[in-house]
Amino acid sequence: MKQVTINDIAKLAGVAKSTVSRYLNGGSVGQATRDKIERVIQETNYEPNQFAQSLKSKQTKMIGVIVPRLDSYAASRTMMGIDERLTERGYQMLVVNTAQQTEREIEQLYNLAKQKVAGIIWLGTTVTERHLQAIQDIQIPVLLIGQEHGHVHSLVYPDFDAAYALGKQFMDWGHRDIIYVGVEEYDIAVGQTRRDGFLRAFNEAGADVKIYTTSFKIDDAIPIGMQIGHEQSASLVVCATDNIALGVLKGLANAGKTVPGDISVSGFGGYDFTEVLHPSITTVHLPYRRTGSRAADMILQLLTGETIPMKTFTTFELKLRESVDILN
């Protein structure tokens, strides 16, 4: 028999999950709403999750932030935005690093709950059933940044639309022989959604595309750039991140190729260094710092029981610079 969850109680009572959670933790709930929740609990024989019950109802003014890498430009800028907004609202940020390890992500969800954080902002790379179980167990608000899932409130970058828009621009500029350097598919947003946006634009124009796969590290992209410089003929290398683009640029230079004279290169993300390099890198700017501020606002909305969309998109801006040549 399926175990009744707090989500089930909320649906049957016709109230928000946060309202049920507030009732279970002894918070202020109107009498009429309290009566509805109590009636559903009696009818379903609901037993509160033992892990959640072990947490004291009084939370701290602390928001946990789970990041995959501390050396990530995107993560650091996002954390700056989170910290600034939380400080304005009288909250503090508690950051934990998972080194891109799924097990550590799940472990930190439980650990942060045990430290009585009021909510968690999670910069995720993938969402598994065990992540979802942990989120259900801890029964505190969780906001996911950068990825999306139907059962978790998500603040999402428009990876597909941004990649498609930049890809269309390259097609308008006459590029038809493309090399795409992406990452593994376990990262849904970058490894799949972003890639698919580019491929849609390339395929619509009938371009020839070769695909390479690397990691998020600059050093791992350098040999790919060298290989492209020595072995491949293409007019453009499209990279899934700015870090990958930086590695490819170094590898191409090692192979004696110039950008954009011999071959064009683009990135994705809009990191600060993309503008000051020579040549400056064509890329997509994602508003990491503003996204952090918005995430802080959203998690605090969830704490007060406000209703927010399950999925919210951020914005993007194309940065068309020197590293990509116009062929027509």
Side-chain angles (χ1 to χ4, degrees):
M1 184 175 179
K2 180 179 180 293
Q3 182 180 1
V4 179
T5 68
I6 191 173
N7 286 324
D8 298 326
I9 298 299
K11 289 178 182 178
L12 292 170
V15 299
K17 177 183 172 182
S18 58
T19 303
V20 179
S21 179
R22 192 160 60 246
Y23 165 83
L24 293 172
N25 289 318
S28 176
V29 177
Q31 189 58 50
T33 301
R34 180 179 295 274
D35 291 343
K36 286 194 294 185
I37 294 173
E38 288 177 349
R39 184 169 62 252
V40 172
I41 287 176
Q42 291 174 1
E43 291 173 353
T44 59
N45 296 316
Y46 172 72
E47 294 183 4
N49 177 273
Q50 292 301 308
F51 177 83
Q53 288 297 96
S54 72
L55 304 177
K56 294 181 180 178
S57 61
K58 185 170 179 61
Q59 303 287 351
T60 64
K61 297 279 282 187
M62 190 82 70
I63 300 296
V65 180
I66 299 175
V67 298
R69 291 168 49 207
L70 290 175
D71 62 348
S72 162
Y73 175 90
S76 65
R77 300 291 289 184
T78 304
M79 286 189 288
M80 289 172 66
I82 293 171
D83 183 59
E84 289 168 354
R85 187 55 54 86
L86 289 179
T87 299
E88 292 173 2
R89 303 287 295 275
Y91 281 79
Q92 289 183 303
M93 179 175 70
L94 176 60
V95 178
V96 293
N97 173 44
T98 64
Q100 296 179 298
Q101 297 177 24
T102 298
E103 287 298 320
R104 286 179 63 176
E105 283 186 339
I106 296 165
E107 182 181 298
Q108 291 298 351
L109 285 166
Y110 286 111
N111 286 343
L112 287 170
K114 289 176 182 176
Q115 294 181 63
K116 314 300 185 294
V117 297
I120 296 173
I121 298 174
W122 168 29
L123 281 65
T125 55
T126 186
V127 183
T128 68
E129 288 300 318
R130 294 182 59 214
H131 286 101
L132 298 177
Q133 183 62 54
I135 292 170
Q136 178 176 301
D137 286 345
I138 62 179
Q139 292 187 15
I140 61 176
V142 175
L143 176 70
L144 177 61
I145 297 181
Q147 306 288 340
E148 63 179 278
H149 194 281
H151 295 113
V152 186
H153 286 94
S154 307
L155 181 54
V156 187
Y157 296 110
D159 287 285
F160 184 93
D161 290 346
Y164 179 77
L166 187 57
K168 286 281 287 183
Q169 184 65 72
F170 295 150
M171 297 301 96
D172 291 344
W173 285 348
H175 291 277
R176 291 295 183 272
D177 194 355
I178 312 295
I179 291 174
Y180 180 73
V181 185
V183 299
E184 297 289 348
E185 291 189 353
Y186 74 85
D187 187 308
I188 304 298
V190 182
Q192 297 184 38
T193 307
R194 191 174 295 180
R195 174 204 63 196
D196 291 349
F198 278 120
L199 294 183
R200 169 74 66 83
F202 301 155
N203 291 336
E204 286 179 354
D208 180 39
V209 183
K210 301 181 183 70
I211 297 178
Y212 288 76
T213 302
T214 184
S215 74
F216 287 89
K217 297 179 181 178
I218 295 173
D219 288 347
D220 290 340
I222 294 174
I224 290 179
M226 293 179 64
Q227 182 181 351
I228 292 171
H230 287 307
E231 300 176 3
Q232 300 293 343
S233 61
S235 67
L236 171 65
V237 182
V238 177
C239 302
T241 74
D242 287 341
N243 272 352
I244 293 173
L246 192 62
V248 167
L249 283 171
K250 177 65 174 176
L252 288 170
N254 291 345
K257 299 294 184 181
T258 62
V259 175
D262 295 319
I263 189 169
S264 295
V265 176
S266 75
F268 200 109
Y271 303 172
D272 287 344
F273 69 75
T274 61
E275 189 170 11
V276 299
L277 284 177
H278 181 70
S280 56
I281 299 177
T282 290
T283 186
V284 172
H285 174 72
L286 298 178
Y288 297 117
R289 195 162 181 165
R290 290 204 311 272
T291 298
S293 296
R294 192 170 186 184
D297 287 336
M298 291 172 68
I299 197 69
L300 296 181
Q301 286 178 290
L302 290 173
L303 289 182
T304 59
E306 294 183 46
T307 299
I308 66 172
M310 290 302 294
K311 180 167 65 174
T312 303
F313 280 106
T314 67
T315 59
F316 71 90
E317 181 182 359
L318 300 186
K319 298 290 187 179
L320 307 178
R321 300 184 179 131
E322 301 167 338
S323 67
V324 178
D325 210 357
I326 300 175
L327 301 183
N328 54 16

